[in-house]
Amino acid sequence: MFVDQVSVYVKAGDGGNGLVAYRREKYVPKGGPAGGDGGNGGNVIFKVDEGLNTLMDFRYNRHFKAKRGENGMSKGQHGRNAAPLVVSVPPGTTVIDEDTGQVIADLTIHEQEAIIANGGRGGRGNTRFASPRNPAPDFAENGEPGEEKNIKVELKLIADVGLVGFPSVGKSTFLSVVSAARPKIADYHFTTLAPNLGVVDTGDQRSFVLADLPGLIEGAHEGVGLGHQFLRHVERTRVIIHVIDMAGTEGRDPYEDFQKINNELREYDEKLMTRPQVIAANKMDMPGSEENLQHFKEQIGEDIPVYPVSALTKEGLRDILFAVADLLETIPKFAPQLEETEEKVVYRYQKEDKGFVITRDDDGAYVVSGPRIEKLFKMTDFNRDEAIRRFARQMRTMGVDEELRNRGAEDGDTIRILQFEFEFVE
Ligand SMILES: Nc1nc2c(ncn2[C@@H]2O[C@H](COP(=O)(O)OP(=O)(O)OP(=O)(O)O)[C@@H](O)[C@H]2O)c(=O)[nH]1
Ligand SMILES: [Mg+2]
């Protein structure tokens, strides 16, 4: 399994503030409340685009903020809701809340959407607080803050194409010159112990994921060398690039190499022989490679395409990459959700809590904190006495006063919420 992973911060839009306003009518003094509600803040939404196959875009942008809702207006008009911020992700993307470790979304199908952070509700205008007892309320609600989260975005990359061949034929070198991957390259066998992945961009809007696999040797199907591990990876690819050292650097015959590798594939699973193969005749910069290539072509016949390349001088790479991209277009993608049988459960849990906690600061002040109380606080317009009184009532209903009292708070003690201070009044 190859996992690409990025940490991202998302913030949904805050709700717009509700408005305090009154009707102005010719003969009606203070003609009743007329402040409209704020609009809702925009959600942050992730949406699957099957044209994407990497998290590349997240490398450049790690902050996603949706817009806030419009404030409420006079004459009871509501502020406009903010449009959602839609972020495109490739199929197979999993979103995890970094703080709780919970899976927020598992996006596999084209155009599937998930709300990653909820926009805040618009604050209510004073119209909404009118009651027989208070027909002209002098306060409105601020917008609810939008959710903010630190998330981990994960993509299980599935290789479209696998590089297959004997050790040291130049598989890792090939991957390193056609993608941004930087696998270890050396002239000893089994330099590559675990597959490396790279994204190949053919430059004509096409791209595919290429895996550099550990070298294969005779007997691999029985577990020799890195045997099975390796073959399991081949199983998942849609096209095989069969890399052959056409210079015979290590004294082996290129055609024999070709046959032996295919034999291992067949012994492991007959089905692998139906997987389309493209031959990369590598190391064409070396002496003797031309003659070997001629001979190889005669032996192999016309059916299988052979692309002479040099991963060292980068000659011939363009042709083979285009041929592979063409081939891939003819072969359907594996559905990612069928690939892995791993259990994927989307948890949505709400912590059972009373909405606040009380702690003491060094200076003796009581600190009231917690998401619910802080949200109420942010939704209060402290410029208006009525709003402040309402907040005090809400705190009392939540049980904040009582708990403060239980913890020994007395008249005149300092109470802190976020960066603001009040005095405790009995
Ligand atoms: N002359 C020449 N040398 C090459 C070419 N491609 C790779 N090599 C060299 O061949 C050696 C092996 O290259 P690697 O890319 O590590 O080979 P590999 O197939 O990944 O090998 P394993 O990971 O061990 O299976 C290195 O010394 C490379 O520099 C080429 O086109 N021409
Ligand atoms: Mg290698």
Side-chain angles (χ1 to χ4, degrees):
M1 182 79 52
F2 321 94
V3 180
D4 199 4
Q5 206 177 69
V6 231
S7 289
V8 170
Y9 167 82
V10 290
K11 164 93 174 70
D14 297 340
N17 297 336
L19 182 76
V20 177
Y22 299 95
R23 265 198 301 274
R24 256 181 244 280
E25 280 169 31
K26 245 181 185 162
Y27 305 106
V28 194
K30 271 217 169 181
D37 297 351
N40 297 334
N43 295 331
V44 177
I45 290 177
F46 280 14
K47 184 174 180 182
V48 177
D49 176 350
E50 67 185 0
L52 299 174
N53 54 11
T54 64
L55 296 177
M56 204 73 99
D57 297 344
F58 285 98
R59 301 251 169 251
Y60 305 109
N61 190 1
R62 289 174 185 235
H63 281 73
F64 296 90
K65 280 184 164 176
K67 292 216 163 66
R68 57 172 293 143
E70 224 174 28
N71 290 341
M73 291 170 288
S74 56
K75 295 182 186 159
Q77 286 186 77
H78 290 191
R80 222 187 294 277
N81 295 339
L85 174 68
V86 182
V87 180
S88 298
V89 297
T93 298
T94 307
V95 182
I96 298 153
D97 187 317
E98 224 156 29
D99 301 319
T100 65
Q102 301 296 325
V103 175
I104 300 172
D106 206 348
L107 295 155
T108 50
I109 301 155
H110 187 51
E111 305 210 312
Q112 188 184 348
E113 292 186 358
I115 297 174
I116 306 302
N118 280 293
R121 173 175 65 75
R124 286 170 288 180
N126 68 335
T127 317
R128 303 271 232 110
F129 295 103
S131 66
R133 268 182 55 208
N134 188 359
D138 186 35
F139 70 96
E141 220 173 24
N142 284 343
E144 181 189 29
E147 276 189 314
E148 57 186 316
K149 284 178 190 161
N150 291 304
I151 56 169
K152 203 159 62 194
V153 183
E154 271 186 6
L155 175 64
K156 289 177 180 139
L157 286 183
I158 297 156
D160 301 299
V161 182
L163 289 161
V164 173
F166 269 86
S168 296
V169 295
K171 300 180 295 296
S172 300
T173 312
F174 188 98
L175 178 73
S176 75
V177 294
V178 300
S179 77
R182 290 292 164 261
K184 190 170 168 196
I185 294 166
D187 59 2
Y188 55 84
H189 288 189
F190 299 116
T191 309
T192 305
L193 295 173
N196 300 296
L197 280 207
V199 178
V200 179
D201 183 350
T202 45
D204 57 353
Q205 311 284 354
R206 294 187 295 178
S207 65
F208 56 86
V209 180
L210 179 62
D212 159 32
L213 301 169
L216 186 55
I217 51 175
E218 258 180 287
H221 72 274
E222 293 170 323
V224 181
L226 295 165
H228 284 153
Q229 273 179 46
F230 158 85
L231 287 158
R232 236 183 333 109
H233 291 299
V234 181
E235 254 185 316
R236 301 184 176 182
T237 59
R238 293 190 287 146
V239 169
I240 292 170
I241 299 184
H242 196 143
V243 185
I244 293 171
D245 176 354
M246 205 44 80
T249 322
E250 298 187 0
R252 296 186 310 264
D253 175 62
Y255 187 64
E256 269 177 36
D257 273 14
F258 175 70
Q259 285 181 310
K260 279 180 182 162
I261 295 287
N262 278 341
N263 204 37
E264 291 304 324
L265 297 179
R266 186 180 305 111
E267 291 290 335
Y268 178 75
D269 186 351
E270 192 74 36
K271 281 203 293 280
L272 287 179
M273 293 317 291
T274 60
R275 193 102 353 132
Q277 278 195 15
V278 173
I279 297 175
N282 193 30
K283 306 200 183 181
M284 289 304 292
D285 56 287
M286 299 272 283
S289 54
E290 246 350 296
E291 298 84 79
N292 287 345
L293 179 65
Q294 283 320 317
H295 193 54
F296 183 84
K297 280 184 170 169
E298 283 160 23
Q299 287 169 298
I300 200 170
E302 310 267 285
D303 295 347
I304 306 177
V306 182
Y307 292 87
V309 299
S310 166
L312 198 71
T313 66
K314 302 184 184 173
E315 217 143 317
L317 295 174
R318 197 182 144 85
D319 288 348
I320 189 167
L321 296 181
F322 270 69
V324 170
D326 289 346
L327 253 181
L328 283 171
E329 280 176 3
T330 67
I331 308 162
K333 280 199 179 185
F334 299 125
Q337 65 268 43
L338 299 179
E339 267 286 294
E340 298 300 328
T341 45
E342 232 174 86
E343 234 179 287
K344 284 173 185 161
V345 192
V346 177
Y347 296 95
R348 289 205 189 285
Y349 86 124
Q350 212 79 56
K351 256 191 271 159
E352 236 348 284
D353 81 86
K354 57 183 192 290
F356 67 93
V357 283
I358 294 176
T359 52
R360 296 292 291 270
D361 260 356
D362 292 341
D363 60 357
Y366 292 87
V367 181
V368 184
S369 58
R372 229 173 89 206
I373 187 78
E374 286 171 16
K375 185 158 102 182
L376 280 178
F377 179 85
K378 288 179 185 165
M379 291 176 75
T380 303
D381 176 4
F382 284 90
N383 296 316
R384 290 175 187 275
D385 292 343
E386 258 192 77
I388 297 172
R389 281 199 293 278
R390 178 165 179 258
F391 180 66
R393 273 200 307 278
Q394 286 169 322
M395 288 217 292
R396 201 170 319 127
T397 316
M398 277 176 81
V400 178
D401 291 31
E402 195 187 333
E403 182 147 347
L404 280 169
R405 219 171 284 126
N406 289 343
R407 296 196 47 158
E410 290 173 358
D411 241 4
D413 282 350
T414 307
I415 312 297
R416 207 165 274 152
I417 298 181
L418 294 166
Q419 57 272 50
F420 298 89
E421 290 186 352
F422 315 82
E423 241 173 51
F424 188 66
V425 187
E426 271 297 353

